Amino acid sequence: MSRFGAGAIVAALWVATIVAPWQALRAQDSTAKPTASPTASPAEPPAGPKTNVYFQFGTRGYSIGGSKVTEQAGNLSYEYRTKQWGLSVDGASLQYGALGRTISGTGNSNVRVDYRLQPGDTLMLYGRSGSQPGTLDSAQVAAIGVAGGSFVDLQANSLGNPALFGGRAVFSFPVGDLVLNLRGALESESRPAATQKVYWRGTTWAIGSTLYGNIGKGQLAAMVDISSSSADSLGGKNLYPGGGETTVRLDLQLPIDNPADSTGDDWNSAFSAWFSSPFGASRADQPNRLLPLGNSFGLSGALTFPVGDATWGPSVQFQSTSASASAKSGATLLSTSSSGWAANFAINADIPTSSIFELTPELGYAVGNASTSYGQTSSKTVVVQRRGRTVTTTSGGTTATAVRGWWIALGVSAHF
């Protein structure tokens, strides 16, 4: 399965999503904000040294209400792994456009070193450079806010992030016929002397656990993750909503007998369901977000099947979010209630071109809607100043924003 796509089981590069589920060290996903809750798998590492080099270029476009959003990105990653040691490096360049503004820059460059004490037990150190630009002016924040944050995940969301250093530990234990995975992490971002907007989390801790079990030839995993960050508002300059997040998730991977050839390779299916809830987010409505931060729920499924030497597969993902926040109309604060949903459809492939090289194309389409209801005031017409945005509606009215979009990407990988 390609890394690129909104329909992928693990939200990956270019996901048109509401809130991306927690992932295996977001250094591997330059679209998302890094998190200290990487998910560990008990899979065995390769027996000998393995090197993987991956390059990907993609472009996408969205219609968000009356606004157009475009983004092009190139991503490069390198990974070297032995039975015990692993080293990975990745980075991305991108160009984002919205509201007549074009932002060109680079996402965070990530470095990770891990050491496997034994299968299922890992120690890791990782870090990242700051993005360029490292801070965002009001026009850049407003442009990203057309589609960003909790509703549509963009690689441009990595802009305005400072450097980070962190470490984590993962340990696994047998529990009867099951495997229990326990993990913890600690990350630190130095306090920026920002005169413009920045996404700063300060010190972040995270803990999590996963319980793995076999179902026939398949595997079921139940996960719980909790993280919390210490950063303050930086006098109104910090785009981080504050607080932390709790996520629960179920993953099922299940081989399917090949219906076309009983002696051929199995088809593979994967399904996920997750729920994420923030806590302590005192600044939930930020100008780089289409909707305020809130609870989110998601379902996804993917199928892969062999076609000659290649592997093809469709995938689908549905997510919804809901949130409450405050908006300002003159001197009056209004309560708001927001909700949104998105459905993403993709088809991707892994196509070997030699014993070393492989092509990974992907094509996808997204559809969704975001709406916000505003509280009653004595004024018939309400001009609401949400952070970074102006909304004109009627007292007690609702605004709705349709979302349509597409993406296409091509990756080239080398394995040796």
Side-chain angles (χ1 to χ4, degrees):
M1 168 112 22
S2 157
R3 298 185 196 183
F4 192 105
I9 294 303
V10 177
L13 298 174
W14 300 82
V15 174
T17 183
I18 298 173
V19 173
W22 290 27
Q23 307 167 35
L25 198 68
R26 301 242 182 135
Q28 297 178 10
D29 180 4
S30 59
T31 68
K33 297 293 184 289
T35 179
S37 60
T39 301
S41 169
E44 284 284 347
K50 302 290 183 181
T51 299
N52 298 304
V53 180
Y54 184 76
F55 172 75
Q56 179 191 71
F57 177 78
T59 183
R60 64 177 171 182
Y62 284 103
S63 172
I64 314 291
S67 300
K68 302 294 183 181
V69 173
T70 61
E71 190 173 65
Q72 297 81 39
N75 303 278
L76 180 65
S77 67
Y78 168 86
E79 183 178 26
Y80 176 80
R81 181 165 296 283
T82 68
K83 189 172 180 63
Q84 284 191 299
W85 289 95
L87 168 68
S88 67
V89 181
D90 68 77
S93 62
L94 63 93
Q95 181 172 284
Y96 172 85
L99 301 182
R101 183 67 181 262
T102 299
I103 309 172
S104 298
T106 58
N108 305 109
S109 296
N110 304 281
V111 178
R112 184 185 73 209
V113 177
D114 61 80
Y115 177 71
R116 297 176 186 269
L117 302 170
Q118 60 183 4
D121 296 350
T122 304
L123 300 177
M124 178 184 295
L125 293 176
Y126 52 92
R128 72 166 191 227
S129 67
S131 66
Q132 294 297 327
T135 60
L136 302 171
D137 61 34
S138 58
Q140 291 172 326
V141 171
I144 293 174
V146 170
S150 64
F151 192 64
V152 174
D153 198 11
L154 300 163
Q155 288 196 244
N157 283 335
S158 66
L159 300 177
N161 280 308
L164 170 149
F165 180 77
R168 69 154 179 165
V170 180
F171 297 98
S172 300
F173 308 91
V175 181
D177 294 332
L178 306 177
V179 175
L180 177 64
N181 169 295
L182 300 177
R183 53 191 175 271
L186 187 67
E187 295 176 349
S188 178
E189 299 174 355
S190 59
R191 186 182 182 90
T195 57
Q196 299 188 101
K197 297 288 187 177
V198 64
Y199 192 100
W200 173 63
R201 296 181 306 144
T203 299
T204 299
W205 61 262
I207 56 175
S209 66
T210 301
L211 189 63
Y212 298 91
N214 292 325
I215 298 180
K217 295 189 296 182
Q219 185 183 75
L220 180 67
M223 310 175 202
V224 178
D225 286 286
I226 303 172
S227 72
S228 182
S229 299
S230 64
D232 59 48
S233 69
L234 289 174
K237 302 297 184 182
N238 194 359
L239 295 172
Y240 175 63
E245 185 178 55
T246 300
T247 300
V248 294
R249 183 181 179 96
L250 287 175
D251 286 346
L252 173 64
Q253 298 184 15
L254 188 65
I256 300 173
D257 291 338
N258 191 326
D261 182 358
S262 60
T263 63
D265 293 334
D266 284 342
W267 293 18
N268 292 307
S269 63
F271 307 92
S272 290
W274 63 90
F275 175 78
S276 180
S277 180
F279 58 86
S282 58
R283 306 178 299 277
D285 190 11
Q286 291 286 357
N288 65 331
R289 305 182 66 89
L290 175 60
L291 293 177
L293 179 66
N295 295 333
S296 67
F297 169 77
L299 295 169
S300 62
L303 178 69
T304 58
F305 49 86
V307 179
D309 293 333
T311 300
W312 290 80
S315 57
V316 61
Q317 179 172 285
F318 174 83
Q319 297 192 61
S320 66
T321 189
S322 61
S324 298
S326 296
K328 189 174 183 180
S329 178
T332 303
L333 285 177
L334 301 177
S335 61
T336 67
S337 177
S338 300
S339 63
W341 64 269
N344 310 285
F345 309 91
I347 185 167
N348 47 55
D350 294 318
I351 306 173
T353 58
S354 70
S355 59
I356 295 177
F357 293 99
E358 189 173 69
L359 297 178
T360 55
E362 180 160 338
L363 177 67
Y365 179 75
V367 60
N369 187 273
S371 64
T372 299
S373 298
Y374 297 88
Q376 298 280 348
T377 71
S378 58
S379 174
K380 190 172 183 180
T381 301
V382 181
V383 179
V384 181
Q385 295 292 336
R386 288 183 65 198
R387 297 181 184 221
R389 296 186 293 281
T390 300
V391 178
T392 301
T393 183
T394 59
S395 178
T398 298
T399 60
T401 301
V403 177
R404 300 289 186 276
W406 57 268
W407 67 93
I408 186 170
L410 178 64
V412 180
S413 59
H415 315 282
F416 49 89

